[in-house]
């Protein structure tokens, strides 16, 4: 598996993955209602978002998007055909390391508040902690930079 920075040429593959997921599924129309369009990707790249694609077996197997100014892992999705092969874990690791390298001391993400979805177990198993804060059917998770101690103030 190769994790690489996404480019504008990956937009179609990213949308294909996003529209195929089993949990937290949104159609292309539902994404557009939220301002998530193919045209927006160029702006996000220009604005410094971290975007990665996992290539496996010659195909885009998953993607992640992080927003450093918000210290947020904004998206992480794996194509259902590649589930259970470490794609999500690899993308998560790259996005976390990048956000921490951007100076974020704590990072966050939101996911569906339904406790039955697999994302909860996935994030908890990777060191994220649920804050209990929920909004509009979403719940927040946070993770602190493991290289910072209580005595680091800069």
């Amino acid at each position: 598996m190769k994790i690489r920075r996404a480019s504008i040429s990956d937009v179609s593959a990213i949308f294909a993955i996003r529209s195929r997921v089993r949990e937290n599924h949104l159609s292309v129309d539902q994404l557009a209602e939220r301002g998530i369009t193919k045209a927006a990707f160029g702006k996000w790249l220009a604005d410094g978002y971290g975007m990665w694609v996992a290539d496996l077996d010659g195909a885009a197997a998953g993607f992640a998007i992080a927003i450093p100014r918000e210290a947020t892992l904004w998206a992480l999705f794996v194509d259902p055909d590649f589930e259970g092969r470490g794609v999500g874990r690899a993308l998560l690791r790259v996005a976390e390391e990048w956000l921490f390298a951007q100076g974020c001391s704590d990072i966050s993400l939101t996911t569906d508040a339904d406790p039955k979805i697999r994302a909860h177990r996935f994030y908890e198993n990777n060191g994220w902690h649920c804050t209990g804060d929920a909004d509009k059917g979403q719940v927040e998770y946070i993770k602190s930079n493991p290289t910072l101690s209580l005595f680091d103030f800069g």
Side-chain angles (χ1 to χ4, degrees):
M1 174 178 0
K2 178 182 178 187
I3 306 293
R4 61 175 175 75
R5 292 299 293 251
S7 70
I8 202 71
S9 65
D10 293 308
V11 172
S12 291
I14 288 170
F15 267 80
I17 292 166
R18 183 64 182 91
S19 65
R20 288 181 36 123
V21 297
R22 295 179 189 145
E23 293 181 345
N24 196 10
H25 178 269
L26 294 173
S27 70
V28 173
D29 289 338
Q30 290 170 314
L31 291 168
E33 289 171 8
R34 292 169 168 81
I36 303 167
T37 63
K38 291 182 180 183
F41 271 78
K43 180 180 182 327
W44 297 337
L45 286 167
D47 285 348
Y49 286 28
M51 302 168 117
W52 302 269
V53 172
D55 289 324
L56 186 62
D57 298 337
F63 72 93
I65 301 173
I67 307 171
R69 72 176 177 274
E70 297 176 14
T72 300
L73 175 61
W74 185 59
L76 192 156
F77 294 95
V78 175
D79 186 298
D81 291 343
F82 295 94
E83 290 177 355
R85 297 172 68 182
V87 174
R89 193 169 33 259
L91 285 164
L92 181 63
R93 189 175 316 113
V94 167
E96 289 173 353
E97 290 174 1
W98 184 80
L99 283 166
F100 291 139
Q102 301 306 303
C104 302
S105 57
D106 294 312
I107 56 178
S108 68
L109 63 86
T110 58
T111 193
D112 191 304
D114 181 350
K116 296 176 193 160
I117 67 163
R118 297 172 295 157
H120 295 285
R121 187 171 51 254
F122 172 75
Y123 290 119
E124 289 167 1
N125 287 341
N126 284 283
W128 289 75
H129 304 282
C130 185
T131 66
D133 293 335
D135 186 37
K136 298 179 184 174
Q138 300 284 299
V139 66
E140 179 187 52
Y141 278 81
I142 60 167
K143 187 171 188 176
S144 296
N145 187 335
T147 62
L148 296 179
S149 74
L150 294 175
F151 301 103
D152 290 334
F153 299 105

